[in-house]
Amino acid sequence: MSVILTQTDTTVGFLSQNAQKLYEIKSRLSSKPFIKVYKNFKSFTQDGKRVVNSRKNLVRRSKKTTFIINDFSFRVASFTLNSQIFRDNSWFYSTSANRSGEKFCRDFCESKADIIVENMDGLREKDSSALIKINRVKRRKLR
């Protein structure tokens, strides 16, 4: 699977279904997992994932929010760009488009990406998503 450089709903990101490629690009420890981004809630449930009933509406309606359940981090975010790649795949691993711990550098990102999907606004680094850890009883905002 290819590595895609694109503007996500939050910031510039690398997307791929191959986590190993993303680990190599980011020079990141394999013990630190990536966020899995689903194109809709139905794709999330079809992947065999579950959210307790009391938290389903929170997950469905949230914007620019990443959730952690146990050790699994995910986000439900529609892809704003009308691209065949995004229509064909229901999920991607996602990470910010930079080296681990560094700022966005377009030259670095373009050299590492197999496919670049960009609109007229270009690629801009923005704020990262909110991070909320949820379970049956409580939720805790981490970022």
Side-chain angles (χ1 to χ4, degrees), residues 2-19:
S2 306
V3 175
I4 303 165
L5 173 67
T6 188
Q7 183 74 42
T8 64
D9 60 328
T10 53
T11 190
V12 181
F14 287 124
L15 303 176
S16 181
Q17 289 191 332
N18 184 343

Side-chain angles (χ1 to χ4, degrees), residues 68-126:
I68 300 173
I69 299 176
N70 300 329
D71 289 332
F72 178 68
S73 57
F74 68 96
R75 188 164 76 230
V76 177
S78 60
F79 299 107
T80 55
L81 296 173
N82 188 17
S83 172
Q84 189 67 41
I85 296 168
F86 300 140
R87 285 193 301 268
D88 290 345
N89 295 293
S90 59
W91 65 270
F92 289 99
Y93 290 113
S94 174
T95 184
S96 58
N98 55 22
R99 287 189 181 99
S100 275
E102 295 183 15
K103 293 285 184 187
F104 173 67
C105 173
R106 189 175 181 109
D107 294 333
F108 166 76
C109 296
E110 286 180 353
S111 69
K112 299 295 182 181
D114 299 322
I115 301 169
I116 300 170
V117 179
E118 186 175 3
N119 65 6
M120 292 182 348
D121 296 334
L123 302 173
R124 294 178 309 197
E125 189 174 29
K126 299 181 190 174

